[in-house]
Amino acid sequence: MKLTVPIQLRWSDLDAYAHVNNARMLGLLEEARISAFWQRDDESAPAGATTAVIDTSPTSATLTLIARQEVEYLAPIPYHRDPVEIELWIGRLGGASIEVCYEVFPPAGTEPRTCYTRAATTIVLVDRESGKPRKMTARERTAWEPYVEAPIVFKHSRG
Amino acid sequence: MKLTVPIQLRWSDLDAYAHVNNARMLGLLEEARISAFWQRDDESAPAGATTAVIDTSPTSATLTLIARQEVEYLAPIPYHRDPVEIELWIGRLGGASIEVCYEVFPPAGTEPRTCYTRAATTIVLVDRESGKPRKMTARERTAWEPYVEAPIVFKHSRG
Amino acid sequence: MKLTVPIQLRWSDLDAYAHVNNARMLGLLEEARISAFWQRDDESAPAGATTAVIDTSPTSATLTLIARQEVEYLAPIPYHRDPVEIELWIGRLGGASIEVCYEVFPPAGTEPRTCYTRAATTIVLVDRESGKPRKMTARERTAWEPYVEAPIVFKHSRG
Amino acid sequence: MKLTVPIQLRWSDLDAYAHVNNARMLGLLEEARISAFWQRDDESAPAGATTAVIDTSPTSATLTLIARQEVEYLAPIPYHRDPVEIELWIGRLGGASIEVCYEVFPPAGTEPRTCYTRAATTIVLVDRESGKPRKMTARERTAWEPYVEAPIVFKHSRG
């Protein structure tokens, strides 16, 4: 199952070419990821948010560290008044890591539905005390499994 | 030959964990890349800047588009009062594209010389008029060849 | 008449205190201002957008320069999942300048309706060619007059 | 006594007009302020840093909240390869508050020495436990008094 998260662009995301700056893209993906996976303590969880079983607050026992990111820019993203759509899912559940995959699309209802950007982020669960990776728990695995889909295939590979 | 560019961190680069936010890293790499490759019209070029043969101004005939970025986060980056050092070089000169490789280190003189981050950016030369990739010129190739070194090998690969 | 613009916060707007960073606030006000005053060439203007008579594109004959900003932080802004509300209006129409006033509130429906921030921005109309301020046209003045309300009164004054 | 802090611009500070974006200016002032006033626990303090007697870490007993900022943009700031110079001093020491004043200039040695921006920030010392302003201590007052100079006079006043 894939989650679709609307993300509002800002004028300050644009560069002098009037396109979303490539360096800002990781910030937009971060917004989508947090929106989908964030532990909501004091709010009723919106639909699709049941994946959120990690407490990512600065005082939590678990750190979620980013180990790796790969981004492929397929088409420049112009300013859109309506939120762009970021689809995200889990490409792989490892022993202590998760690969989150993303595809960025124009606002809902826009034709053609150009895929602007594809990306993947590897997140490692780290024990705050020891600073070492820790095993994913059964509860976490169970919560995340419904969101596992085939990992993203990048158009361009290196080498 | 590799270039070493000092990049000053800002407090606003840090996240709630007091480490450089992963999404900000692309901005720091962008600073280093522009500093090394930027066409300097009205200034005497500093040492190592002779690679700069592309006019990247918004009115130039050539756009340099980012097609792909890969970033590997090896160790969290704490705040440093002195500029961190970003080493960069060209990993590959293609027909219409360049792969820029980076390694991010602590400020000069810091021991141990931890490699915090490794990254690679694929840049495509695009003709502004047609919007299509254009061949690298002989002049560009000659200017860049001294900076070609072995492409970065990432520690973690997907799959 | 005041305009109310919903602005979505981002996690990256927060600082290590988990409040919206004061320096980011000007960016949020900029979003609200552009959203309200932006010239929409190819879209049907939403309600309240008829103020938008300046073409702010980089090639326009008129530059809108920010001459002055004043921001008063009345209460720290925590993260809100729903967009905060920014009310804005024109506090003063000068010969070549406009004062935009803002008040920032929690998302619609939140009680109490705390005013987090009050701010005012002075914008000067500048002729791109000459670089000098230019008179507001009658058409501009007519378009903006409905949005003129009493200028903001700041709680704290200097001196 | 005024402190002079060099601040390196970034390309991402520029907007589509190729000037430093007005909203980014508060971030640059923040850099200068932290650089001058930051408590340095594990480093030998640089010259002029003896003002730094507040522990601004997230776990400190004192919060330093920004209550008010005023910024006057006198001239657009183009990109400079060398750091711009931010002069800062204390315009007023209140019972529980400090007004920091700033003037932003081109890099050292640049002629003419245009004053790009003038600004003032009011900081309030707040007790973290109670959330209320707390009195400045005698030690703090003594440390800061050498940096008190006449408060900034803004060119444009409201009203």
Side-chain angles (χ1 to χ4, degrees):
Chain A
M1 179 170 34
K2 297 184 179 184
L3 299 166
T4 300
V5 179
I7 295 290
Q8 179 64 52
L9 298 180
R10 292 185 183 171
W11 275 97
S12 56
D13 294 327
L14 305 185
D15 59 21
Y17 295 153
H19 295 144
V20 173
N21 178 270
N22 74 83
R24 303 302 289 263
M25 179 50 66
L26 288 191
L28 302 179
L29 300 181
E30 180 186 54
E31 285 303 308
R33 190 174 63 239
I34 290 171
S35 172
F37 289 87
W38 178 49
Q39 172 100 11
R40 294 159 194 86
D41 293 308
D42 51 356
E43 298 182 64
S44 56
T50 51
T51 50
V53 296
I54 295 186
D55 174 7
T56 55
S57 71
T59 56
S60 149
T62 299
L63 295 166
T64 52
L65 296 188
I66 305 292
R68 188 181 171 283
Q69 302 210 71
E70 185 168 349
V71 190
E72 199 172 67
Y73 305 89
L74 303 174
I77 308 183
Y79 183 73
H80 290 285
R81 178 171 293 273
D82 293 318
V84 298
E85 289 200 336
I86 302 188
E87 285 196 2
L88 71 174
W89 67 95
I90 296 174
R92 189 170 160 275
L93 281 179
S97 71
I98 305 160
E99 188 186 71
V100 179
C101 296
Y102 321 76
E103 289 188 328
V104 182
F105 294 99
T110 307
E111 290 298 336
R113 189 162 159 78
T114 310
C115 179
Y116 289 134
T117 301
R118 282 199 196 107
T121 303
T122 304
I123 296 170
V124 178
L125 304 177
V126 170
D127 180 74
R128 183 184 296 268
E129 194 92 356
S130 71
K132 297 205 173 137
R134 71 141 173 88
K135 282 270 176 201
M136 192 176 296
T137 65
R139 178 171 167 257
E140 288 165 348
R141 191 172 297 272
T142 302
W144 288 329
E145 263 169 358
Y147 303 95
V148 176
E149 299 277 343
I152 213 159
V153 176
F154 289 104
K155 193 172 159 188
H156 302 286
S157 62
R158 294 178 77 219
Chain B
M1 179 170 36
K2 296 184 177 182
L3 299 167
T4 300
V5 178
I7 295 290
Q8 180 63 51
L9 298 180
R10 292 183 182 173
W11 275 97
S12 56
D13 293 328
L14 305 186
D15 58 22
Y17 296 152
H19 295 144
V20 172
N21 177 270
N22 75 83
R24 304 302 288 262
M25 178 52 65
L26 288 192
L28 302 179
L29 300 180
E30 179 186 55
E31 285 302 307
R33 189 175 65 239
I34 289 170
S35 172
F37 289 87
W38 178 49
Q39 172 100 11
R40 294 160 195 85
D41 294 307
D42 51 354
E43 298 181 66
S44 57
T50 51
T51 51
V53 296
I54 295 185
D55 174 6
T56 55
S57 70
T59 55
S60 150
T62 299
L63 295 166
T64 54
L65 296 188
I66 306 291
R68 189 182 170 282
Q69 302 213 68
E70 185 168 351
V71 190
E72 198 173 67
Y73 304 88
L74 303 174
I77 308 183
Y79 184 73
H80 289 285
R81 179 171 293 275
D82 292 318
V84 299
E85 289 199 337
I86 302 187
E87 284 195 5
L88 72 174
W89 67 95
I90 295 173
R92 188 169 160 276
L93 280 180
S97 70
I98 306 161
E99 187 186 71
V100 179
C101 296
Y102 322 76
E103 289 187 328
V104 182
F105 294 99
T110 307
E111 290 298 337
R113 190 162 160 79
T114 311
C115 180
Y116 290 133
T117 301
R118 282 200 196 106
T121 303
T122 303
I123 296 169
V124 178
L125 305 178
V126 170
D127 180 73
R128 182 184 298 269
E129 194 91 358
S130 72
K132 298 207 173 138
R134 71 140 172 88
K135 281 273 178 199
M136 192 177 295
T137 66
R139 176 170 168 257
E140 288 165 347
R141 191 171 296 273
T142 302
W144 289 329
E145 263 170 357
Y147 303 96
V148 175
E149 299 276 343
I152 215 160
V153 176
F154 289 103
K155 195 174 159 187
H156 303 284
S157 63
R158 294 179 79 218
Chain C
M1 179 170 34
K2 295 185 179 183
L3 299 167
T4 301
V5 179
I7 295 290
Q8 178 64 51
L9 299 180
R10 292 184 182 172
W11 275 96
S12 56
D13 293 328
L14 305 184
D15 59 20
Y17 296 153
H19 296 144
V20 172
N21 179 270
N22 75 83
R24 303 302 289 262
M25 179 51 66
L26 289 192
L28 302 179
L29 300 180
E30 179 186 53
E31 286 301 309
R33 190 174 65 240
I34 290 171
S35 171
F37 289 88
W38 178 49
Q39 171 98 10
R40 295 161 193 84
D41 294 308
D42 49 356
E43 299 181 64
S44 56
T50 50
T51 51
V53 297
I54 295 186
D55 173 6
T56 55
S57 70
T59 54
S60 148
T62 299
L63 293 167
T64 54
L65 295 188
I66 306 292
R68 188 182 171 283
Q69 302 211 68
E70 185 169 350
V71 190
E72 199 172 67
Y73 305 89
L74 303 173
I77 308 182
Y79 183 74
H80 289 286
R81 177 172 293 274
D82 292 319
V84 299
E85 289 200 338
I86 302 187
E87 284 195 3
L88 72 174
W89 67 95
I90 295 173
R92 189 171 159 274
L93 280 179
S97 70
I98 307 160
E99 187 185 71
V100 179
C101 296
Y102 322 77
E103 289 186 328
V104 182
F105 295 98
T110 307
E111 288 300 335
R113 189 161 159 79
T114 311
C115 180
Y116 290 134
T117 301
R118 282 200 197 105
T121 303
T122 305
I123 295 170
V124 179
L125 305 177
V126 170
D127 180 74
R128 182 184 296 268
E129 194 94 355
S130 71
K132 297 204 173 139
R134 70 142 172 88
K135 282 272 179 200
M136 192 176 297
T137 66
R139 178 173 166 254
E140 288 165 347
R141 191 172 298 273
T142 302
W144 289 328
E145 263 169 358
Y147 303 96
V148 175
E149 299 277 342
I152 214 159
V153 176
F154 290 102
K155 193 173 162 189
H156 303 284
S157 64
R158 295 179 77 218
Chain D
M1 179 171 35
K2 296 185 179 182
L3 298 167
T4 301
V5 179
I7 296 289
Q8 179 64 51
L9 299 180
R10 292 185 182 171
W11 275 97
S12 55
D13 294 328
L14 305 185
D15 58 20
Y17 294 154
H19 296 144
V20 173
N21 177 270
N22 74 83
R24 302 303 289 261
M25 179 50 67
L26 288 192
L28 302 179
L29 300 180
E30 179 186 54
E31 285 301 307
R33 191 174 65 241
I34 290 171
S35 172
F37 288 88
W38 178 50
Q39 172 99 9
R40 293 159 195 87
D41 293 309
D42 50 354
E43 299 183 63
S44 56
T50 52
T51 50
V53 295
I54 295 185
D55 175 5
T56 55
S57 69
T59 57
S60 151
T62 299
L63 294 167
T64 53
L65 296 189
I66 306 292
R68 188 182 170 283
Q69 301 212 71
E70 186 169 349
V71 190
E72 199 172 68
Y73 304 89
L74 303 173
I77 309 183
Y79 184 73
H80 289 286
R81 177 171 295 273
D82 293 319
V84 299
E85 288 200 336
I86 302 187
E87 285 196 3
L88 72 175
W89 67 94
I90 295 173
R92 189 170 159 275
L93 280 179
S97 71
I98 306 162
E99 188 185 72
V100 179
C101 296
Y102 321 78
E103 288 188 331
V104 182
F105 295 99
T110 307
E111 289 300 337
R113 189 162 160 79
T114 310
C115 180
Y116 289 133
T117 301
R118 283 199 195 108
T121 304
T122 304
I123 295 170
V124 179
L125 304 178
V126 171
D127 180 74
R128 183 184 295 269
E129 195 91 358
S130 71
K132 297 204 172 140
R134 71 145 173 85
K135 280 273 175 199
M136 193 176 295
T137 66
R139 177 171 167 258
E140 288 166 349
R141 192 170 297 272
T142 303
W144 289 328
E145 264 170 357
Y147 302 95
V148 176
E149 299 277 343
I152 214 159
V153 177
F154 289 102
K155 194 174 159 189
H156 303 285
S157 62
R158 295 177 79 219

